[in-house]
Amino acid sequence: MDSTDEKFMQTALKLAAKGISRVEPNPAVGCVIVRDNKIIGKGWHKKFGAAHAEINALDDCRKNNIDPAGSTMYVTLEPCCHHGKTPPCTDAIIKSGIKTVFIATTDPFEKVSGSGIEILKNAHIEVTTGICEQSARQLNAPFMKFASTKKTWVILKWAQSIDGFLAWSKDSDSQRWISNEKSRRDAHKLRRRSQAVLVGINTVLCDDPLLTPRPARGKKLTRIVLDSNLQIPLNCNLVKTAKTNDLLVVTTTPAAKAQLEKADKLQKTGARILPLPAINNRCDLKALLNHLASCDIQQLLVEGGPEVITAFLENDLADEICIYIAPIILASKGDAPITKPMTRLTKPIHPKNIKVNHFDTDTKITCFL
């Protein structure tokens, strides 16, 4: 393994990243095929249910009238060896005559988990693992967590002014949004990455959102409302679209029992109700995440206000943070300060894997916890 191998794997990782927000809950995977230090084929997993990266890279070779036999493959994740929505990639690799395979990281999914590597080795293919492993695991961190622990990856996302406000005050004549259009388009990629999006009841009462990814690209989300006292209006956008877009209203067991008639009306609209134990009159977030994991929700995007965001941080339930910072100081025209509830946190948080991106004048900060 040398710097040349690392260079080709980095190329495969860049290809893999193109699949983010399109392949979930599957992992994003990239692949390049090399002969004489030149790439002769490349591919990535482009869409959930579609051909995997290795198959696309092999097809790319053939489209260019190049036989991949005897060449070297660089792939960011252990090739699959089971029949799912597509046939096993290991079969295609063996059939192609590939001589050497470099794999960034093993696949923790129980139907693969080392078996793909073993099958390739048994076919007398030279296999090397671990090149750019950390980068490959970070790229698919939500998949890695869920496959190894059956626990949901939680993303906290918000947009704020420089002085920490998440919204304009109600008496302001200014625009509804704090972040710019490019930032909002990027935020919708987070929705498409996820299988569920969550807000608190205050967001519903103030903004009346739909919580759908735009453009949807065939993706439907489970939309979740944390509503401890079952306050959700029957005429809000979420309830009105519950028959066509999954809606889960999470409330406390006491509130559900006290409002049986409203709960019944909600269910008749197509909404689902999940009563959970109450902790300090609020829904038990750990119980909620256990429920979501049992429903195979790999990624949950939390778009709540300051109280909801802080509640996840207080309980050490977040894995990733995405903050969009707009170059404005709202001062007296600001509302929902994120800094106020965060004073309840008893110790500093030291994020890892920090990335900074710019969308025109907005700045996006992404980090793992």
mmCIF file of all heavy atoms in Angstrom, residues 225-261:
data_model
loop_
_atom_site.group_PDB
_atom_site.id
_atom_site.type_symbol
_atom_site.label_atom_id
_atom_site.label_comp_id
_atom_site.label_asym_id
_atom_site.label_seq_id
_atom_site.Cartn_x
_atom_site.Cartn_y
_atom_site.Cartn_z
ATOM 1 N N VAL A 225 -43.828 14.709 15.214
ATOM 2 C CA VAL A 225 -44.057 15.887 16.041
ATOM 3 C C VAL A 225 -43.976 15.484 17.505
ATOM 4 O O VAL A 225 -44.686 14.575 17.948
ATOM 5 C CB VAL A 225 -45.437 16.526 15.767
ATOM 6 C CG1 VAL A 225 -45.629 17.764 16.649
ATOM 7 C CG2 VAL A 225 -45.571 16.905 14.297
ATOM 8 N N LEU A 226 -43.085 16.139 18.246
ATOM 9 C CA LEU A 226 -43.054 15.960 19.699
ATOM 10 C C LEU A 226 -44.127 16.851 20.296
ATOM 11 O O LEU A 226 -44.046 18.080 20.218
ATOM 12 C CB LEU A 226 -41.681 16.363 20.257
ATOM 13 C CG LEU A 226 -40.547 15.355 20.182
ATOM 14 C CD1 LEU A 226 -39.295 15.960 20.816
ATOM 15 C CD2 LEU A 226 -40.910 14.055 20.857
ATOM 16 N N ASP A 227 -45.145 16.239 20.859
ATOM 17 C CA ASP A 227 -46.336 16.979 21.290
ATOM 18 C C ASP A 227 -46.809 16.420 22.631
ATOM 19 O O ASP A 227 -47.783 15.668 22.709
ATOM 20 C CB ASP A 227 -47.420 16.834 20.213
ATOM 21 C CG ASP A 227 -48.639 17.701 20.467
ATOM 22 O OD1 ASP A 227 -48.612 18.499 21.420
ATOM 23 O OD2 ASP A 227 -49.618 17.561 19.716
ATOM 24 N N SER A 228 -46.126 16.790 23.691
ATOM 25 C CA SER A 228 -46.361 16.201 25.014
ATOM 26 C C SER A 228 -47.802 16.319 25.484
ATOM 27 O O SER A 228 -48.322 15.435 26.167
ATOM 28 C CB SER A 228 -45.436 16.861 26.048
ATOM 29 O OG SER A 228 -44.092 16.694 25.680
ATOM 30 N N ASN A 229 -48.477 17.425 25.124
ATOM 31 C CA ASN A 229 -49.837 17.668 25.598
ATOM 32 C C ASN A 229 -50.904 17.498 24.517
ATOM 33 O O ASN A 229 -52.050 17.912 24.707
ATOM 34 C CB ASN A 229 -49.927 19.076 26.201
ATOM 35 C CG ASN A 229 -49.016 19.235 27.395
ATOM 36 O OD1 ASN A 229 -49.028 18.419 28.313
ATOM 37 N ND2 ASN A 229 -48.180 20.274 27.389
ATOM 38 N N LEU A 230 -50.525 16.932 23.394
ATOM 39 C CA LEU A 230 -51.428 16.677 22.273
ATOM 40 C C LEU A 230 -52.152 17.954 21.843
ATOM 41 O O LEU A 230 -53.369 18.025 21.768
ATOM 42 C CB LEU A 230 -52.439 15.581 22.624
ATOM 43 C CG LEU A 230 -52.968 14.756 21.437
ATOM 44 C CD1 LEU A 230 -51.826 14.064 20.697
ATOM 45 C CD2 LEU A 230 -53.981 13.725 21.895
ATOM 46 N N GLN A 231 -51.350 18.956 21.493
ATOM 47 C CA GLN A 231 -51.883 20.263 21.087
ATOM 48 C C GLN A 231 -52.023 20.412 19.579
ATOM 49 O O GLN A 231 -52.574 21.406 19.112
ATOM 50 C CB GLN A 231 -50.950 21.384 21.578
ATOM 51 C CG GLN A 231 -50.819 21.512 23.069
ATOM 52 C CD GLN A 231 -49.768 22.558 23.430
ATOM 53 O OE1 GLN A 231 -48.592 22.249 23.621
ATOM 54 N NE2 GLN A 231 -50.189 23.810 23.477
ATOM 55 N N ILE A 232 -51.557 19.460 18.805
ATOM 56 C CA ILE A 232 -51.491 19.633 17.355
ATOM 57 C C ILE A 232 -52.871 19.940 16.772
ATOM 58 O O ILE A 232 -53.850 19.245 17.044
ATOM 59 C CB ILE A 232 -50.875 18.378 16.693
ATOM 60 C CG1 ILE A 232 -50.621 18.632 15.212
ATOM 61 C CG2 ILE A 232 -51.728 17.128 16.923
ATOM 62 C CD1 ILE A 232 -49.736 17.581 14.559
ATOM 63 N N PRO A 233 -52.987 21.012 15.984
ATOM 64 C CA PRO A 233 -54.291 21.360 15.397
ATOM 65 C C PRO A 233 -54.700 20.359 14.313
ATOM 66 O O PRO A 233 -53.876 19.925 13.512
ATOM 67 C CB PRO A 233 -54.046 22.746 14.778
ATOM 68 C CG PRO A 233 -52.773 23.245 15.398
ATOM 69 C CD PRO A 233 -51.957 22.030 15.689
ATOM 70 N N LEU A 234 -55.972 20.045 14.294
ATOM 71 C CA LEU A 234 -56.466 19.090 13.300
ATOM 72 C C LEU A 234 -56.447 19.660 11.882
ATOM 73 O O LEU A 234 -56.512 18.906 10.908
ATOM 74 C CB LEU A 234 -57.887 18.652 13.663
ATOM 75 C CG LEU A 234 -58.019 17.847 14.968
ATOM 76 C CD1 LEU A 234 -59.484 17.606 15.294
ATOM 77 C CD2 LEU A 234 -57.275 16.524 14.864
ATOM 78 N N ASN A 235 -56.349 20.992 11.767
ATOM 79 C CA ASN A 235 -56.350 21.615 10.434
ATOM 80 C C ASN A 235 -54.964 22.071 9.986
ATOM 81 O O ASN A 235 -54.846 22.832 9.020
ATOM 82 C CB ASN A 235 -57.317 22.802 10.405
ATOM 83 C CG ASN A 235 -56.876 23.917 11.365
ATOM 84 O OD1 ASN A 235 -56.016 23.689 12.226
ATOM 85 N ND2 ASN A 235 -57.473 25.080 11.221
ATOM 86 N N CYS A 236 -53.903 21.622 10.659
ATOM 87 C CA CYS A 236 -52.554 22.032 10.242
ATOM 88 C C CYS A 236 -52.131 21.221 9.022
ATOM 89 O O CYS A 236 -52.699 20.183 8.689
ATOM 90 C CB CYS A 236 -51.552 21.866 11.383
ATOM 91 S SG CYS A 236 -51.148 20.150 11.783
ATOM 92 N N ASN A 237 -51.103 21.691 8.334
ATOM 93 C CA ASN A 237 -50.650 21.045 7.103
ATOM 94 C C ASN A 237 -50.217 19.599 7.314
ATOM 95 O O ASN A 237 -50.450 18.736 6.454
ATOM 96 C CB ASN A 237 -49.487 21.836 6.485
ATOM 97 C CG ASN A 237 -49.955 23.072 5.759
ATOM 98 O OD1 ASN A 237 -51.014 23.077 5.140
ATOM 99 N ND2 ASN A 237 -49.167 24.141 5.823
ATOM 100 N N LEU A 238 -49.575 19.316 8.435
ATOM 101 C CA LEU A 238 -49.120 17.957 8.692
ATOM 102 C C LEU A 238 -50.294 16.983 8.779
ATOM 103 O O LEU A 238 -50.266 15.901 8.194
ATOM 104 C CB LEU A 238 -48.305 17.910 9.998
ATOM 105 C CG LEU A 238 -46.942 18.594 9.969
ATOM 106 C CD1 LEU A 238 -46.350 18.650 11.366
ATOM 107 C CD2 LEU A 238 -45.995 17.861 9.031
ATOM 108 N N VAL A 239 -51.331 17.377 9.499
ATOM 109 C CA VAL A 239 -52.492 16.510 9.664
ATOM 110 C C VAL A 239 -53.265 16.394 8.355
ATOM 111 O O VAL A 239 -53.723 15.306 7.976
ATOM 112 C CB VAL A 239 -53.401 17.020 10.805
ATOM 113 C CG1 VAL A 239 -54.691 16.203 10.883
ATOM 114 C CG2 VAL A 239 -52.653 16.961 12.141
ATOM 115 N N LYS A 240 -53.392 17.515 7.642
ATOM 116 C CA LYS A 240 -54.152 17.496 6.382
ATOM 117 C C LYS A 240 -53.515 16.598 5.320
ATOM 118 O O LYS A 240 -54.190 16.128 4.407
ATOM 119 C CB LYS A 240 -54.308 18.920 5.837
ATOM 120 C CG LYS A 240 -55.306 19.764 6.632
ATOM 121 C CD LYS A 240 -55.666 21.060 5.922
ATOM 122 C CE LYS A 240 -54.517 22.020 5.877
ATOM 123 N NZ LYS A 240 -54.926 23.362 5.340
ATOM 124 N N THR A 241 -52.212 16.356 5.441
ATOM 125 C CA THR A 241 -51.513 15.517 4.449
ATOM 126 C C THR A 241 -51.128 14.150 5.022
ATOM 127 O O THR A 241 -50.324 13.427 4.431
ATOM 128 C CB THR A 241 -50.246 16.226 3.954
ATOM 129 O OG1 THR A 241 -49.413 16.552 5.095
ATOM 130 C CG2 THR A 241 -50.584 17.509 3.212
ATOM 131 N N ALA A 242 -51.709 13.783 6.149
ATOM 132 C CA ALA A 242 -51.312 12.544 6.838
ATOM 133 C C ALA A 242 -51.648 11.280 6.047
ATOM 134 O O ALA A 242 -51.007 10.245 6.224
ATOM 135 C CB ALA A 242 -51.964 12.481 8.211
ATOM 136 N N LYS A 243 -52.652 11.348 5.183
ATOM 137 C CA LYS A 243 -53.026 10.162 4.407
ATOM 138 C C LYS A 243 -51.994 9.850 3.316
ATOM 139 O O LYS A 243 -51.828 8.691 2.922
ATOM 140 C CB LYS A 243 -54.407 10.357 3.775
ATOM 141 C CG LYS A 243 -55.557 10.040 4.728
ATOM 142 C CD LYS A 243 -56.891 10.106 4.011
ATOM 143 C CE LYS A 243 -58.027 9.497 4.827
ATOM 144 N NZ LYS A 243 -58.100 9.952 6.201
ATOM 145 N N THR A 244 -51.294 10.851 2.846
ATOM 146 C CA THR A 244 -50.319 10.644 1.766
ATOM 147 C C THR A 244 -48.871 10.715 2.242
ATOM 148 O O THR A 244 -47.969 10.244 1.553
ATOM 149 C CB THR A 244 -50.520 11.686 0.652
ATOM 150 O OG1 THR A 244 -50.500 13.004 1.229
ATOM 151 C CG2 THR A 244 -51.848 11.472 -0.050
ATOM 152 N N ASN A 245 -48.640 11.324 3.391
ATOM 153 C CA ASN A 245 -47.286 11.437 3.953
ATOM 154 C C ASN A 245 -47.329 11.040 5.423
ATOM 155 O O ASN A 245 -48.037 11.662 6.222
ATOM 156 C CB ASN A 245 -46.754 12.866 3.813
ATOM 157 C CG ASN A 245 -46.514 13.255 2.370
ATOM 158 O OD1 ASN A 245 -45.487 12.954 1.790
ATOM 159 N ND2 ASN A 245 -47.495 13.925 1.777
ATOM 160 N N ASP A 246 -46.565 10.023 5.755
ATOM 161 C CA ASP A 246 -46.607 9.439 7.093
ATOM 162 C C ASP A 246 -46.410 10.487 8.184
ATOM 163 O O ASP A 246 -45.465 11.283 8.135
ATOM 164 C CB ASP A 246 -45.520 8.368 7.197
ATOM 165 C CG ASP A 246 -45.623 7.564 8.481
ATOM 166 O OD1 ASP A 246 -46.748 7.367 8.972
ATOM 167 O OD2 ASP A 246 -44.569 7.125 8.985
ATOM 168 N N LEU A 247 -47.294 10.489 9.170
ATOM 169 C CA LEU A 247 -47.219 11.432 10.288
ATOM 170 C C LEU A 247 -47.320 10.657 11.593
ATOM 171 O O LEU A 247 -48.270 9.905 11.815
ATOM 172 C CB LEU A 247 -48.349 12.459 10.217
ATOM 173 C CG LEU A 247 -48.466 13.407 11.413
ATOM 174 C CD1 LEU A 247 -47.199 14.253 11.565
ATOM 175 C CD2 LEU A 247 -49.701 14.301 11.274
ATOM 176 N N LEU A 248 -46.331 10.853 12.454
ATOM 177 C CA LEU A 248 -46.305 10.232 13.774
ATOM 178 C C LEU A 248 -46.339 11.334 14.828
ATOM 179 O O LEU A 248 -45.417 12.149 14.915
ATOM 180 C CB LEU A 248 -45.033 9.390 13.938
ATOM 181 C CG LEU A 248 -44.841 8.694 15.291
ATOM 182 C CD1 LEU A 248 -45.936 7.655 15.525
ATOM 183 C CD2 LEU A 248 -43.460 8.058 15.378
ATOM 184 N N VAL A 249 -47.403 11.372 15.604
ATOM 185 C CA VAL A 249 -47.534 12.340 16.690
ATOM 186 C C VAL A 249 -47.116 11.658 17.986
ATOM 187 O O VAL A 249 -47.757 10.703 18.432
ATOM 188 C CB VAL A 249 -48.975 12.873 16.793
ATOM 189 C CG1 VAL A 249 -49.081 13.876 17.942
ATOM 190 C CG2 VAL A 249 -49.403 13.512 15.481
ATOM 191 N N VAL A 250 -46.025 12.136 18.552
ATOM 192 C CA VAL A 250 -45.476 11.541 19.772
ATOM 193 C C VAL A 250 -45.946 12.363 20.959
ATOM 194 O O VAL A 250 -45.670 13.561 21.055
ATOM 195 C CB VAL A 250 -43.935 11.505 19.721
ATOM 196 C CG1 VAL A 250 -43.379 10.863 20.973
ATOM 197 C CG2 VAL A 250 -43.469 10.762 18.475
ATOM 198 N N THR A 251 -46.656 11.727 21.854
ATOM 199 C CA THR A 251 -47.201 12.426 23.011
ATOM 200 C C THR A 251 -46.906 11.618 24.269
ATOM 201 O O THR A 251 -46.268 10.547 24.207
ATOM 202 C CB THR A 251 -48.716 12.667 22.839
ATOM 203 O OG1 THR A 251 -49.167 13.535 23.869
ATOM 204 C CG2 THR A 251 -49.502 11.362 22.870
ATOM 205 N N THR A 252 -47.360 12.113 25.403
ATOM 206 C CA THR A 252 -47.179 11.373 26.643
ATOM 207 C C THR A 252 -48.398 10.500 26.897
ATOM 208 O O THR A 252 -49.507 10.793 26.444
ATOM 209 C CB THR A 252 -46.983 12.329 27.827
ATOM 210 O OG1 THR A 252 -48.120 13.200 27.917
ATOM 211 C CG2 THR A 252 -45.719 13.155 27.656
ATOM 212 N N THR A 253 -48.198 9.433 27.630
ATOM 213 C CA THR A 253 -49.305 8.532 27.955
ATOM 214 C C THR A 253 -50.434 9.256 28.694
ATOM 215 O O THR A 253 -51.612 9.064 28.349
ATOM 216 C CB THR A 253 -48.796 7.341 28.777
ATOM 217 O OG1 THR A 253 -47.767 6.658 28.026
ATOM 218 C CG2 THR A 253 -49.913 6.355 29.085
ATOM 219 N N PRO A 254 -50.137 10.122 29.673
ATOM 220 C CA PRO A 254 -51.227 10.855 30.348
ATOM 221 C C PRO A 254 -52.029 11.738 29.390
ATOM 222 O O PRO A 254 -53.255 11.798 29.475
ATOM 223 C CB PRO A 254 -50.498 11.703 31.394
ATOM 224 C CG PRO A 254 -49.226 10.969 31.658
ATOM 225 C CD PRO A 254 -48.841 10.362 30.347
ATOM 226 N N ALA A 255 -51.355 12.412 28.458
ATOM 227 C CA ALA A 255 -52.061 13.284 27.516
ATOM 228 C C ALA A 255 -52.951 12.468 26.581
ATOM 229 O O ALA A 255 -54.079 12.866 26.265
ATOM 230 C CB ALA A 255 -51.067 14.107 26.705
ATOM 231 N N ALA A 256 -52.459 11.313 26.125
ATOM 232 C CA ALA A 256 -53.256 10.470 25.233
ATOM 233 C C ALA A 256 -54.505 9.958 25.940
ATOM 234 O O ALA A 256 -55.584 9.898 25.342
ATOM 235 C CB ALA A 256 -52.401 9.303 24.741
ATOM 236 N N LYS A 257 -54.367 9.606 27.205
ATOM 237 C CA LYS A 257 -55.520 9.108 27.968
ATOM 238 C C LYS A 257 -56.520 10.220 28.261
ATOM 239 O O LYS A 257 -57.733 9.991 28.290
ATOM 240 C CB LYS A 257 -55.038 8.483 29.276
ATOM 241 C CG LYS A 257 -54.312 7.153 29.090
ATOM 242 C CD LYS A 257 -53.863 6.586 30.432
ATOM 243 C CE LYS A 257 -53.194 5.221 30.243
ATOM 244 N NZ LYS A 257 -52.715 4.678 31.549
ATOM 245 N N ALA A 258 -56.008 11.432 28.471
ATOM 246 C CA ALA A 258 -56.884 12.556 28.822
ATOM 247 C C ALA A 258 -57.630 13.110 27.612
ATOM 248 O O ALA A 258 -58.645 13.798 27.774
ATOM 249 C CB ALA A 258 -56.062 13.667 29.481
ATOM 250 N N GLN A 259 -57.126 12.831 26.404
ATOM 251 C CA GLN A 259 -57.745 13.393 25.198
ATOM 252 C C GLN A 259 -58.072 12.286 24.192
ATOM 253 O O GLN A 259 -57.652 12.322 23.044
ATOM 254 C CB GLN A 259 -56.808 14.433 24.565
ATOM 255 C CG GLN A 259 -56.464 15.598 25.483
ATOM 256 C CD GLN A 259 -55.698 16.687 24.753
ATOM 257 O OE1 GLN A 259 -56.206 17.302 23.815
ATOM 258 N NE2 GLN A 259 -54.463 16.909 25.168
ATOM 259 N N LEU A 260 -58.859 11.337 24.637
ATOM 260 C CA LEU A 260 -59.193 10.187 23.798
ATOM 261 C C LEU A 260 -59.929 10.598 22.531
ATOM 262 O O LEU A 260 -59.699 10.052 21.448
ATOM 263 C CB LEU A 260 -60.035 9.191 24.595
ATOM 264 C CG LEU A 260 -59.298 8.453 25.726
ATOM 265 C CD1 LEU A 260 -60.286 7.587 26.511
ATOM 266 C CD2 LEU A 260 -58.164 7.599 25.170
ATOM 267 N N GLU A 261 -60.824 11.590 22.654
ATOM 268 C CA GLU A 261 -61.607 12.010 21.491
ATOM 269 C C GLU A 261 -60.706 12.636 20.431
ATOM 270 O O GLU A 261 -60.831 12.338 19.233
ATOM 271 C CB GLU A 261 -62.685 13.012 21.921
ATOM 272 C CG GLU A 261 -63.597 13.427 20.773
ATOM 273 C CD GLU A 261 -64.691 14.392 21.211
ATOM 274 O OE1 GLU A 261 -64.866 14.590 22.426
ATOM 275 O OE2 GLU A 261 -65.364 14.950 20.321
#
